[in-house]
Amino acid sequence: QSVLTQPPSVSAAPGQKVTISCSGGSSNIGNNYVSWYQHLPGTAPKLLIYENNKRPSGIPDRFSGSKSGTSATLGITGLQTGDEADYYCGTWAGSLNAGVVFGGGTKLTVL
Amino acid sequence: QVQLVQSGGEVKRPGASVTFSCKASGYTFTSYGISWVRQAPGQGLEWMGWIHTFSGNTNYAQKFQGRVSMTTDTSTSTAYMELRSLRSDDTAIYYCTKNSGMSAWYPSDFWGQGTLLTVSS
């Protein structure tokens, strides 16, 4: 049972846009930055978005992030088959004991 | 370029201990924290803890307190994590990650390739 709630799966056609939601609470998302990670099978996860909406260098602007209250959203436009992956949101849980919490992950299928 | 190279896969019996290593390169090791994250088969990501690479201070997830120890060797830019009293549900891929800042709440901007731990009798 993950602290942050994500839809298990989303799908869309190549070239289309998709959004992935991440819902939490006031102690985690509500008071901390949200990050998003892309996890392709057999590879290490990659940081896609940090501080709610910033992209590390090398991440294309097809990927965007937003946050409102206790929820966050990852958007991907111009979908490509190479975007098929699991996507995770993560944030600080608000205390040293709880540390970082992640969503359960969303499997993106590009039809 | 930043690289985190982890040790090879391990097979352990229940009750045993395991130590993972993570050698960092391409950045100043003692300027950024190291966090450890695991992924059990078919499951999501799970944060295990963090180490301040300069002071050695640690912060472990409550679930693992008493069973995990994180250390560093700054002379070789290597981080270690020991997990004790292994159980079958510790079977997972274990990742070391570089925090984008020193503190535990900074996101993980680089990840090692992962180490598969299999716990089986």
Side-chain angles (χ1 to χ4, degrees), chain B residues 80-100:
Chain B
Y80 300 91
M81 180 177 71
E82 179 190 29
L83 188 62
R84 301 178 291 275
S85 302
L86 291 171
R87 308 186 288 253
S88 57
D89 62 359
D90 289 319
T91 295
I93 298 175
Y94 289 77
Y95 295 100
C96 66
T97 81
K98 168 188 167 292
N99 293 98
S100 61

Side-chain angles (χ1 to χ4, degrees), chain A residues 35 37 39 44-45 88 96-97 99, chain B residues 39 47 59 62 65 107-108 111-112:
Chain A
S35 301
Y37 300 89
H39 193 190
Y88 293 89
L96 289 174
N97 262 349
Chain B
Q39 183 177 35
W47 183 83
N59 171 213
Q62 194 163 15
Q65 285 180 8
S108 295
W111 297 59

Side-chain angles (χ1 to χ4, degrees), chain B residues 5 9-10 33-34 36 40 44 53 63 69-70 80 107:
Chain B
V5 178
E10 302 266 10
I34 290 282
W36 290 83
T53 51
K63 172 178 180 177
S69 296
M70 295 176 187
Y80 300 91

Side-chain angles (χ1 to χ4, degrees), chain A residues 11-31:
Chain A
S11 61
Q16 297 299 303
K17 173 183 178 177
V18 71
T19 60
I20 298 173
S21 62
C22 174
S23 177
S26 57
S27 63
N28 43 65
I29 291 180
N31 278 290

Side-chain angles (χ1 to χ4, degrees), chain B residues 28-63:
Chain B
T28 301
F29 182 70
T30 50
S31 293
Y32 300 89
I34 290 282
S35 293
W36 290 83
V37 175
R38 76 179 187 179
Q39 183 177 35
Q43 303 298 309
L45 302 175
E46 181 175 33
W47 183 83
M48 299 183 68
W50 156 93
I51 183 165
H52 191 292
T53 51
F54 185 80
S55 68
N57 287 343
T58 54
N59 171 213
Y60 304 137
Q62 194 163 15
K63 172 178 180 177

